Amino acid sequence: METNFSKEQLKDKDNKSSEKIFRKCVHCGFCNATCPTYNIFGDELDGPRGRIYLIKDMLENNKPANDKIVKHIDRCLSCYSCMTTCPSGVNYMHLIDHARTHIEKTYKRPFMDRIIRDLLSMILPRSNYFKFIGIISRMFKPIKFIFPTSIRAMITMAPITFPKKTLPNMKIYPCKNKKKSVARVALLTGCVQKVLSPSINEATIRLLNRHGVEVVVLKQIKCCGALNHHLGKEKLAHEDFKKNILTWYDEYLKNGLDAIISNTSGCGTILKDYKFIFRSDADLKKKAKKISELSKDITEYLEENVKLNFIKHKENKKAEYKIAYHSPCSLQHGQKVHDIPKNLIKKTGNLVFDIPNGHICCGSAGTYNLLQSEIANKLLKNKIENIEKVKPEFISTGNIGCITQIAKGTKIPILHTVEIIDWYTGGPKPEILKRI
Ligand code: SF4
Ligand code: SF4
């Protein structure tokens, strides 16, 4: 794609990077075929190629964003399905991130929109606030119809109960049986995840400890920064990014870290992108690169570094469960990790099935199901229909956002991949499966 940025514009590091990306696009439109919003609306501007043109025009002409641009950019899920399909290696993720920051700087959203986005930015990354708002929302559930759509979606999604933790809060979780640890990793516990489903972090810690890996949870690390990053709130996101990079890097230098583990694939995708985000920052460049290199999805880490001791469960009612694997977009398209989780589950001796149209998003996409609830609900409906075609006894996935979204549409139990691996290597049977 031809570009017309001036020399002056290209002094800006973000324009410079985006220009290189635009130049890779050959307008072929293959990406439209796998874009969920293009499939729904059939409008070129709701597909990746059209959005690329909108972004290019806005940045190249240094235009403030307008209603039309914001409408089509806001509808993008940041699912990155288009990046998997693109034959030219266009990094759409970096373009849409640049566009969102530009929109936030140059466009005044309607009042209610601003309030909702500010609330999400304030509440979700802080687990205490999130818990408090969850409790308040419960009271409004019966009268949620009086609220505007986005608030209604927030009340609907708010959890009814908060599961209790079974592991104490500690900085270091040492290996079991006084085994000498073979590795030492930091775990990102996730801001929303640790409140909604503490069992995911607990399964991760148990599983790693049992296999000789010491786990460090640093209390200074609150949120990966992805929520604000995707809302275009650059300053707030960068505060989290910088704090995380400096805290983990310090731990890496002082006590050693073999990896930084994420069990929420949306967060893992952003950790792996810290190196790009700080590519021109003289102070942070080297540290950010190291943190990104250390970052691994839990399934990647297990596959590459741990010899798992699988066991048979004689007490199970069935020898084999039929499991539908939902590949989170941030994992399959963002991190290009698709087969590893499935292969790990297969090693438990159960039957793992792909979901038809598994490359299409479930509609969760961070705060998308709250901000674009109508589109998100359509995608959820399609996802559930496809899951039901497989007739699974339960569903497995690797992202708390997908777990919450899919659980909204079906009674089929859904759990994190790591909970299955933990169970089949000596951990407890997940609570949600006790009835099957
Ligand atoms: S990120 Fe997803 S929704 Fe956005 S343009 Fe790409 S495929 Fe479409
Ligand atoms: S598939 Fe890639 S090269 Fe083709 S239009 Fe989409 S982004 Fe451009």
Side-chain angles (χ1 to χ4, degrees):
M1 184 180 279
E2 199 185 314
T3 58
N4 290 299
F5 286 90
S6 68
K7 278 192 181 153
E8 199 51 37
Q9 282 177 307
L10 290 177
K11 285 183 185 161
D12 175 84
K13 70 169 176 29
D14 293 323
N15 282 341
K16 196 173 160 196
S17 302
S18 293
E19 196 237 14
K20 277 193 195 144
I21 304 171
F22 290 132
R23 283 182 170 273
K24 283 192 168 183
C25 176
V26 294
H27 329 252
C28 63
F30 288 169
C31 49
N32 281 352
T34 58
C35 171
T37 53
Y38 182 79
N39 287 343
I40 289 176
F41 295 104
D43 179 342
E44 176 70 17
L45 294 182
D46 283 314
R49 183 174 59 183
R51 289 186 179 119
I52 290 172
Y53 275 103
L54 285 177
I55 298 169
K56 178 175 169 291
D57 179 52
M58 176 173 75
L59 297 177
E60 211 170 51
N61 296 307
N62 207 12
K63 279 185 191 167
N66 56 34
D67 292 352
K68 179 178 160 191
I69 293 173
V70 173
K71 174 177 147 191
H72 296 293
I73 298 296
D74 278 359
R75 280 181 179 172
C76 171
L77 293 134
S78 281
C79 68
Y80 315 134
S81 173
C82 47
M83 282 169 57
T84 300
T85 318
C86 174
S88 303
V90 170
N91 192 318
Y92 178 86
M93 173 168 83
H94 291 156
L95 288 183
I96 194 82
D97 288 347
H98 188 181
R100 291 202 161 111
T101 308
H102 186 83
I103 288 174
E104 193 66 14
K105 285 180 184 160
T106 61
Y107 180 74
K108 190 163 184 195
R109 290 178 180 274
F111 177 71
M112 204 55 202
D113 204 7
R114 265 182 286 147
I115 295 279
I116 287 166
R117 295 170 79 92
D118 288 348
L119 274 175
L120 292 173
S121 153
M122 189 174 70
I123 295 165
L124 293 180
R126 294 173 176 84
S127 46
N128 289 343
Y129 286 19
F130 178 57
K131 219 168 176 175
F132 176 70
I133 294 295
I135 293 164
I136 302 264
S137 302
R138 235 183 276 163
M139 299 190 301
F140 288 108
K141 275 194 196 274
I143 51 159
K144 66 180 180 186
F145 57 87
I146 65 168
F147 292 101
T149 320
S150 306
I151 302 265
R152 213 160 49 226
M154 283 161 83
I155 296 174
T156 307
M157 292 299 289
I160 295 169
T161 54
F162 294 98
K164 286 207 168 61
K165 289 191 287 189
T166 59
L167 284 183
N169 285 336
M170 302 201 291
K171 178 182 173 190
I172 297 174
Y173 293 85
C175 301
K176 294 294 160 217
N177 307 327
K178 302 209 169 50
K179 254 195 219 167
K180 188 169 169 8
S181 59
V182 292
R184 187 171 195 268
V185 302
L187 174 65
L188 173 71
T189 50
C191 47
V192 171
Q193 173 176 278
K194 68 179 170 214
V195 178
L196 284 182
S197 185
S199 60
I200 297 171
N201 287 328
E202 291 172 356
T204 308
I205 293 170
R206 270 195 311 262
L207 168 63
L208 289 169
N209 283 172
R210 211 182 307 122
H211 289 83
V213 182
E214 181 171 286
V215 180
V216 186
V217 176
L218 299 173
K219 67 173 188 313
Q220 300 94 316
I221 310 276
K222 306 277 186 218
C223 170
C224 67
L227 284 165
N228 277 315
H229 185 60
H230 294 309
L231 287 168
K233 297 186 181 293
E234 189 182 35
K235 190 168 169 289
L236 292 172
H238 280 228
E239 281 170 15
D240 280 331
F241 296 161
K242 284 180 189 168
K243 188 172 63 179
N244 296 350
I245 291 167
L246 294 175
T247 307
W248 275 322
Y249 196 76
D250 189 52
E251 182 69 19
Y252 165 74
L253 285 187
K254 287 187 181 147
N255 302 309
L257 284 178
D258 296 297
I260 296 169
I261 305 290
S262 159
N263 51 23
T264 303
S265 58
C267 307
T269 306
I270 201 78
L271 298 190
K272 289 180 178 179
D273 209 37
Y274 281 178
K275 68 171 185 279
F276 172 80
I277 296 167
F278 292 98
R279 67 201 176 283
S280 309
D281 185 310
D283 295 334
L284 283 173
K285 189 176 167 174
K286 187 179 137 212
K287 295 174 185 169
K289 184 167 178 281
K290 187 74 213 171
I291 297 309
S292 289
E293 285 165 1
L294 285 171
S295 296
K296 297 272 175 202
D297 182 72
I298 178 64
T299 56
E300 266 182 299
Y301 182 77
L302 293 175
E303 175 72 8
E304 291 166 10
N305 300 284
V306 180
K307 192 172 174 313
L308 292 163
N309 302 314
F310 287 104
I311 53 169
K312 284 247 178 285
H313 285 297
K314 295 197 187 79
E315 78 285 4
N316 278 353
K317 288 180 200 144
K318 293 182 59 131
E320 291 167 340
Y321 288 105
K322 207 171 168 189
I323 305 172
Y325 177 68
H326 166 73
S327 201
C329 295
S330 43
L331 201 54
Q332 63 168 322
H333 304 304
Q335 299 184 46
K336 306 286 178 246
V337 176
H338 177 60
D339 289 331
I340 292 175
K342 281 195 305 180
N343 291 339
L344 280 175
I345 308 172
K346 279 180 192 159
K347 288 182 187 170
T348 63
N350 291 298
L351 302 170
V352 185
F353 292 86
D354 280 316
I355 296 166
N357 281 326
H359 60 286
I360 297 284
C361 184
C362 64
S364 164
T367 53
Y368 193 90
N369 51 0
L370 304 173
L371 295 169
Q372 299 282 341
S373 53
E374 258 178 59
I375 306 173
N377 286 340
K378 273 189 195 144
L379 291 170
L380 175 63
K381 188 172 167 284
N382 295 344
K383 183 60 72 182
I384 299 297
E385 280 170 13
N386 281 316
I387 290 174
E388 284 169 354
K389 283 180 194 157
V390 174
K391 298 193 173 57
E393 274 142 316
F394 61 93
I395 307 160
S396 171
T397 189
N399 190 46
I400 186 67
C402 307
I403 293 176
T404 316
Q405 171 80 346
I406 293 172
K408 201 172 77 154
T410 178
K411 294 218 166 358
I412 303 169
I414 173 159
L415 68 166
H416 195 289
T417 307
V418 82
E419 294 178 280
I420 303 176
I421 311 294
D422 177 47
W423 174 32
Y424 275 87
T425 54
K429 184 170 185 177
E431 205 55 44
I432 196 169
L433 295 184
K434 294 216 164 132
R435 62 187 156 89
I436 65 168

